[in-house]
Amino acid sequence: MEDKQIVDLYFARSESAITETDKKYGRYCHYIAYRILENDEDAKEIVNDTYLKAWNTIPPNRPDPLKPYVGMISRQLSLDRYEEYHAQKRGGQMTLVLDELAECIPDNNHQEDIGESIALRDALNRFVWSLSHKAQKVFVRRYWYTSSISEIAREYGMKESNVTVLLLRTRKKLKDFLQKEGFDV
């Protein structure tokens, strides 16, 4: 079923919208949640929570395409759950990824200015699109899907040291890019 048809089911408040979303994007949402939480049961719960949030936000939203919309919901719910679980302790792949990015992304804990958050998001999108195709793929796998260095190396036929160097150089470029864009890094 096409995304537009699934979204139309949400607008019609048909429960089959959730069934169709699960058929088409259930594994994708589970993958995102599992990569962050590293727990199958938690990932399954996040997928169900994703469908509930999609149900509650469509309408008024009419996402086109649907995949990044449910992926974003799944990722945000997973990050919220991760923060909840790790408020007192630190560990896991997500901590490594966040520590790597801390050196080049402005601290946005205050979230006082939504406009600044949007400007940062837009700048990050421009930066990613400015990268070579290979650097884009590696960067997104590491910092969106929280894949380990060894997984990225295996997937793209690279040595782990090459992946590490590519990510290090990309983070340096990101830091320079954001400073030129006027962000305090």
Side-chain angles (χ1 to χ4, degrees), residues 80-142:
D80 291 346
R81 173 86 48 99
Y82 179 87
E83 281 186 26
E84 179 183 311
Y85 283 170
H86 294 84
Q88 298 298 323
K89 61 182 181 175
R90 294 178 58 90
Q93 194 65 231
M94 190 65 190
T95 299
L96 294 173
V97 168
L98 293 174
D99 287 347
E100 289 173 13
L101 284 176
E103 66 190 46
C104 56
I105 301 281
D107 182 13
N108 200 17
N109 284 341
H110 310 305
Q111 296 178 348
E112 296 165 359
D113 185 1
I114 191 85
E116 189 170 327
S117 294
I118 292 170
L120 177 59
R121 181 203 61 204
D122 292 346
L124 288 170
N125 284 334
R126 284 193 311 278
F127 172 75
V128 171
W129 284 109
S130 75
L131 297 172
S132 69
H133 184 66
K134 181 179 184 179
Q136 278 181 4
K137 292 187 330 186
V138 170
F139 188 84
V140 169
R141 282 300 304 255
R142 181 68 173 160

Side-chain angles (χ1 to χ4, degrees), residues 39-87:
N39 181 295
D40 192 53
E41 289 303 313
D42 285 341
K44 288 177 184 176
E45 286 180 29
I46 292 297
V47 171
N48 287 328
D49 291 347
T50 298
Y51 300 149
L52 177 62
K53 187 156 186 170
W55 181 264
N56 289 331
T57 58
I58 306 172
N61 296 324
R62 187 175 280 278
D64 183 30
L66 184 60
K67 182 178 181 178
Y69 187 78
V70 294
M72 176 200 60
I73 292 171
S74 182
R75 185 170 191 272
Q76 191 57 55
L77 291 171
S78 299
L79 290 171
D80 291 346
R81 173 86 48 99
Y82 179 87
E83 281 186 26
E84 179 183 311
Y85 283 170
H86 294 84

Side-chain angles (χ1 to χ4, degrees), residues 2 8 20 30 45 55 104 130 152 162 176:
E2 295 297 317
D8 288 343
E20 294 300 324
H30 184 273
E45 286 180 29
W55 181 264
C104 56
S130 75
I152 295 169
N162 291 353
D176 293 344

Side-chain angles (χ1 to χ4, degrees), residues 10 27-28 49 68:
Y10 279 103
R27 290 183 63 191
Y28 174 69
D49 291 347

Side-chain angles (χ1 to χ4, degrees), residues 15-29:
E15 291 183 17
S16 61
I18 293 172
T19 305
E20 294 300 324
T21 303
D22 185 54
K23 283 182 195 174
K24 193 164 184 182
Y25 299 120
R27 290 183 63 191
Y28 174 69
C29 291

Side-chain angles (χ1 to χ4, degrees), residues 101-107 116 119-120 123-124 126-127 170-185:
L101 284 176
E103 66 190 46
C104 56
I105 301 281
D107 182 13
E116 189 170 327
L120 177 59
L124 288 170
R126 284 193 311 278
F127 172 75
T170 305
R171 287 193 310 270
K172 181 172 180 353
K173 287 179 187 175
L174 174 59
K175 184 175 181 175
D176 293 344
F177 178 85
L178 290 176
Q179 286 173 334
K180 288 178 186 170
E181 292 284 318
F183 291 96
D184 293 324
V185 180

